[in-house]
């Protein structure tokens, strides 16, 4: 579960949400990142608390015990429908990104069909297979994010992070945290799989660690983006993290590192599709 949640969250958040956070909170977007970490940790703690109170019971039974039979079932169905909508949005977002970046002449429907067909196989064999895939892909994903980013340290100008609170304010900082927190708090779907395995103490620790590490990596990403481009350029880009990797060039030899980011993003979103597909199928 540690590698699964870490892998599916970290690159998605780093690639898709910095622009919205920087646009809202300006150079204080790193404070928004810290706030999003706290929100996501609280959400994960609440989800784990509910499942731990009713061990070895499926979530739809737990929610019926808490809210009653009919209200509980209604809540379960609404939650599963929302997960299904998120799954559809992830597939569409993936297809549009791939179509716009590397396969411009391929129909979006074809891209969705192929990634979904591939995701069905590990999903059909259970959450254990998806978890093993995450154990294989996870370290590669983290290396594929950290190593290219470290190569761009020489481009940083920390003066771009100043002044504090001057151009934003509390409300803008809070609103800037909504986008990254939205991605990090999708960890609540853990309620459907938490009680499928034993050793709850280890699960609690590793799940909280996965959210914390994802959030910290996102925090450093926001700092790197602002310190490299400044607020104006960073907020105007749809994928500023991808631009950050493209900007790296060492002696004209090490460059075009955005291809690494695209690769690890595909692996990350594949794991996320598998998890959402499993949770919705198992839940319904």
């Amino acid at each position: 579960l540690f590698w699964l949640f870490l892998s599916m969250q970290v690159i998605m958040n780093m690639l898709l949400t910095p622009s919205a956070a920087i646009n809202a909170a300006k150079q204080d977007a790193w404070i928004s990142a810290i706030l999003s970490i706290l929100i996501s940790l609280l959400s994960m703690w609440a989800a784990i608390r509910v499942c731990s109170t009713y061990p070895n019971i499926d979530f739809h039974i737990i929610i019926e015990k808490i809210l009653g039979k009919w209200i509980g079932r209604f809540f379960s169905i609404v939650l599963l429908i929302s997960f299904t909508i998120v799954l559809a949005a992830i597939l569409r977002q993936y297809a549009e990104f791939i179509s716009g970046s590397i396969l411009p002449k391929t129909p979006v429907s074809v891209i969705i069909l192929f990634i979904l067909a591939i995701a069905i196989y590990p999903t059909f064999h259970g959450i254990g297979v998806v978890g093993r895939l995450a154990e294989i892909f996870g370290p590669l994903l983290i290396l594929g994010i950290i190593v290219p980013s470290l190569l761009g340290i020489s481009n940083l100008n920390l003066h771009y992070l100043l002044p504090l609170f001057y151009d934003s304010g509390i409300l803008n900082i809070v609103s800037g945290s909504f986008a990254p927190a939205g991605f990090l708090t999708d960890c609540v779907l853990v309620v459907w799989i938490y009680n499928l395995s034993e050793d709850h103490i280890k699960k609690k620790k590793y799940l909280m660690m996965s959210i914390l590490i994802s959030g910290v990596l996102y925090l450093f990403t926001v700092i790197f983006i602002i310190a490299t481009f400044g607020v104006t350029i960073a907020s105007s880009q749809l994928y500023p993290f991808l631009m950050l990797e493209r900007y790296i060039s060492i002696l004209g030899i090490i460059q075009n590192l955005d291809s690494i980011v695209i690769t690890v993003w595909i692996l990350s979103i594949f794991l996320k599709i598998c998890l959402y597909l499993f949770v919705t199928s198992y839940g319904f």
Side-chain angles (χ1 to χ4, degrees), residues 60-254:
H60 71 279
I61 302 298
I62 294 175
I63 205 66
E64 287 180 20
K65 287 179 176 290
I66 296 174
L67 299 178
K69 181 178 179 180
W70 296 109
I71 297 179
R73 286 186 179 181
F74 174 77
F75 184 83
S76 295
I77 292 173
V78 169
L79 197 58
L80 288 170
I81 290 174
S82 70
F83 289 157
T84 305
I85 294 172
V86 171
L87 174 60
I90 292 170
L91 288 168
R92 180 72 184 189
Q93 197 170 46
Y94 163 79
E96 289 182 348
F97 180 84
I98 295 299
S99 178
S101 58
I102 58 178
L103 297 175
K105 295 184 179 181
T106 304
V108 169
S109 57
V110 173
I111 299 174
I112 292 176
L113 178 63
F114 273 89
I115 189 67
L116 193 57
I118 297 171
I120 286 173
Y121 181 80
T123 304
F124 179 77
H125 287 81
I127 192 64
V129 174
V130 179
R132 293 300 181 188
L133 284 175
E135 287 184 341
I136 297 172
F137 294 154
L140 299 177
L141 287 170
I142 300 304
L143 288 176
I145 294 168
I146 294 177
V147 174
S149 298
L150 291 178
L151 295 176
I153 287 181
S154 60
N155 299 324
L156 301 184
N157 183 355
L158 297 180
H159 291 292
Y160 286 148
L161 297 172
L162 300 174
L164 296 177
F165 297 107
Y166 184 79
D167 297 320
S168 54
I170 297 297
L171 291 179
N172 289 328
I173 290 174
V174 172
S175 65
S177 69
F178 291 159
F183 275 83
L184 289 174
T185 52
D186 68 357
C187 61
V188 295
L189 57 75
V190 74
V191 295
W192 290 96
I193 60 176
Y194 186 83
N195 285 335
L196 295 181
S197 60
E198 302 297 331
D199 205 348
H200 297 295
I201 295 177
K202 282 189 175 181
K203 280 193 294 186
K204 291 178 186 177
K205 179 176 70 174
Y206 290 138
L207 285 170
M208 297 298 285
M209 283 177 56
S210 69
I211 301 300
L212 180 61
I213 294 173
S214 297
V216 169
L217 288 175
Y218 173 76
L219 169 63
F220 280 106
T221 298
V222 171
I223 292 174
F224 272 48
I225 291 172
I226 297 175
T228 301
F229 301 116
V231 171
T232 303
I233 296 176
S235 61
S236 65
Q237 298 296 316
L238 184 59
Y239 304 113
F241 181 65
L242 196 60
M243 182 182 174
L244 177 69
E245 302 305 318
R246 286 175 179 167
Y247 191 68
I248 296 172
S249 179
I250 300 177
L251 302 176
I253 300 174
I254 300 176

